[in-house]
Amino acid sequence: MPETKRALAEHFETLEQQHQAAWLGMWTFLATEIMFFSGLFMGYIIYRHTYFQSFEIASRHTNIIYGTVNTAILLTSSLTMALGVHAAQEGRNKAVVRYILITILFAAAFMVVKGAEYYEHFKNHEIPGQAFHPIPQAPQAVIFFYLYFAMTGLHAVHVMVGIGVLSVMAWLAARQRFDRVYNTPVELAGLYWHFVDIVWIFLYPLIYLIDRHT
Amino acid sequence: MSTEIVSKKIYFVIWASLMVLLFVTWGVAQFDLGLFNSLAALTIAIIKMLLVILYFMHVRYSSRLTWVFAGAGFLWLMIMITLTLSDYTTRGFVRPYNRVLSNWQDKNWNHLPGDKPMEPRPLP
């Protein structure tokens, strides 16, 4: 099969083995990503534990509408990404381009909402620094906002990297580079995108849902 | 290829469940359930994560070796959280033998927000 010959690198015995190696490599990378984020999550847990009330009050200053809309956008983009990977596994390059472009569109929408949210924080003097307006009942609110910007900011960087990776995948698919036998790059880009989604799944309750019932 | 091609229908079902869970976690947060609020929010987040990992990320259909690699990162994360919290949550449990230090703690540590004043215990 000529397709197989082209897809198989010389240091692998079979396509199966090559595919397995690529997936394990990607999961190893994702494990380092988990640890990358986990330092921030650990910091959040400790300060949330120490300054419980300040965090409750400060979290009410975040906009739950932006947060919920963004969660819905990212979850839906994960669906279109999964459909893109599905199309790649069937070797339908045109469909891959279409699904990945929709996913990029959702990612861009996420960034726009995030930008609007940051702008609101900027206007309300909620960005830590000289212009930060302290909240009288919550003396440690500034720690919440430090963590908020560090965590959502790092996540936003990952979204932007994702847009870059997906653009390359769309370009390759437009050039008919994938088929039933060779589609691993799209699969791995999909893994990365779903990971970014998972990080947000945890950021959403930790930032927006702490204390909404009052 | 080695990856099983999953039917499209499963992806739509998973997406619909994720959206329902998003609505549920938003709804639960509107009620005052005390400590249960955090518990519910995190439980739902973990369920959503498992749905994404098992179906969107195909781990359910992957080899056992992939399961180990996917689990390793979370295992070490849990170890870090457990060990760190076992330190931070138990710091007020032990009172120093030294009376001077103990009095100093009573005076100063209780001023930290989040620390409840301790009942003075008789020292030997």
Side-chain angles (χ1 to χ4, degrees), chain A residues 37 112 119 134 141 150 167 170 173:
Chain A
F37 275 97
V112 168
Y119 179 63
S167 307

Side-chain angles (χ1 to χ4, degrees), chain A residues 16 19-20 38 50 86 181 213, chain B residues 1-3 6 30 63 77 113:
Chain A
E16 191 93 15
H19 186 256
Q20 178 79 9
S38 64
T50 316
H86 181 81
V181 178
H213 44 76
Chain B
M1 267 323 287
S2 53
T3 5
V6 189
Q30 309 302 315
S63 66
L77 176 65

Side-chain angles (χ1 to χ4, degrees), chain A residues 40-108:
Chain A
L40 284 168
F41 277 104
M42 193 70 245
Y44 176 92
I45 293 169
I46 289 170
Y47 282 114
R48 169 89 194 274
H49 170 77
T50 316
Y51 305 123
F52 201 78
Q53 278 192 323
S54 285
F55 267 50
E56 285 191 343
I57 295 167
S59 91
R60 281 186 220 135
H61 289 250
T62 57
N63 191 328
I64 194 171
I65 295 173
Y66 285 148
T68 311
V69 167
N70 258 351
T71 314
I73 288 175
L74 267 199
L75 291 177
T76 312
S77 81
S78 252
L79 170 70
T80 56
M81 187 69 232
L83 293 175
V85 171
H86 181 81
Q89 287 170 340
E90 290 182 343
R92 295 182 290 125
N93 277 303
K94 262 193 179 163
V96 176
V97 175
R98 202 170 54 234
Y99 282 126
I100 288 185
L101 285 182
I102 296 173
T103 310
I104 291 175
L105 220 66
F106 277 124

Side-chain angles (χ1 to χ4, degrees), chain A residues 15-16 19-20 23-24 27-28 30-31 34-35 38-39 42 45-46 48-51 64 68 71-72 75-76 78-79 82-83 85-86 89-90 92 99 140 180-181 183 187 191 194-195 197-198 201-202 204-206 209 212-213, chain B residues 1-8 11-12 15 18-19 22 25-26 29-33 35 37-38 41-42 45-46 48-49 52-53 56-59 62-63 65-66 69-70 72-74 76-77 80-81 84-85 88-89 113-114:
Chain A
L15 276 174
E16 191 93 15
H19 186 256
Q20 178 79 9
W23 273 64
L24 290 185
W27 269 107
T28 308
L30 291 183
I34 292 170
M35 305 199 174
S38 64
M42 193 70 245
I45 293 169
I46 289 170
R48 169 89 194 274
H49 170 77
T50 316
Y51 305 123
I64 194 171
T68 311
T71 314
L75 291 177
T76 312
S78 252
L79 170 70
L83 293 175
V85 171
H86 181 81
Q89 287 170 340
E90 290 182 343
R92 295 182 290 125
Y99 282 126
Q140 289 87 14
R180 272 169 190 281
V181 178
N183 49 47
E187 290 180 340
L191 284 185
H194 297 312
F195 169 79
D197 188 27
I198 288 174
I201 285 176
F202 280 95
Y204 173 65
L206 292 184
L209 299 181
R212 282 289 158 186
H213 44 76
Chain B
M1 267 323 287
S2 53
T3 5
E4 204 177 310
I5 297 184
V6 189
S7 109
K8 266 191 194 178
Y11 292 135
F12 281 102
W15 173 77
L18 286 171
M19 293 310 246
L22 169 63
T25 191
W26 173 82
Q30 309 302 315
F31 301 100
D32 185 5
L33 305 169
L35 271 182
N37 272 118
S38 305
L42 282 179
I46 289 170
K48 278 155 89 181
M49 175 189 80
V52 172
I53 289 184
F56 281 172
M57 295 172 96
H58 292 204
V59 166
S62 302
S63 66
L65 196 56
T66 311
F69 273 58
F74 292 101
W76 289 103
L77 176 65
M80 180 178 73
I81 291 177
T84 313
L85 278 186
Y88 274 86
T89 53

